[in-house]
Amino acid sequence: MAQTLDWMREDTRLILRGELENDNLLPLWEAREQASLGITSLDLRGLTRVDTAGLALIIHLYALAIRQGAAVTIDGMSENLTALSQLYNLPDSLLPASNN
């Protein structure tokens, strides 16, 4: 059984916890515009697992925040998530270096 995905806003941080996978990301996808509004940090430290659909959602949330005019950091990007992004040859501009 897949773990759930939880997210919360804390000031200008969007904090993600649990598993960010295709099977459980729909609620966050549906709330993505509101969830990304005004954020300056995506906090991924609480994620235990991310699949390719989850990586795509992280990139999308980052892009939405940038489009809204924010300077955004990604905090706590795991080695596995970094490796996954490298497997897909994502350019640095698409997924910035993590602040750990």
Side-chain angles (χ1 to χ4, degrees):
M1 183 172 155
Q3 183 181 353
T4 60
L5 171 67
D6 296 312
W7 74 92
M8 63 181 272
R9 292 282 308 261
E10 188 175 279
D11 297 320
T12 59
R13 291 174 49 216
L14 177 60
I15 302 166
L16 305 180
R17 293 188 180 116
E19 295 184 354
L20 182 56
E21 298 181 304
N22 186 54
D23 293 340
N24 63 8
L25 60 73
L26 185 59
L28 179 54
W29 172 258
E30 291 173 342
R32 68 192 179 277
E33 293 284 339
Q34 187 64 30
S36 64
L37 188 62
I39 64 168
T40 60
S41 173
L42 279 168
D43 187 337
L44 310 180
R45 289 178 280 228
L47 291 176
T48 57
R49 182 172 163 79
V50 179
D51 68 4
T52 55
L55 176 61
L57 182 51
I58 290 168
I59 293 167
H60 191 73
L61 290 168
Y62 173 77
L64 282 173
I66 294 294
R67 218 173 304 142
Q68 295 166 3
V72 182
T73 61
I74 295 180
D75 300 319
M77 195 160 141
S78 71
E79 288 181 29
N80 289 341
L81 187 53
T82 300
L84 184 60
S85 67
Q86 290 170 345
L87 280 172
Y88 284 97
N89 294 317
L90 296 179
D92 291 339
S93 62
L94 194 55
L95 194 61
S98 171
N99 293 333
N100 291 316

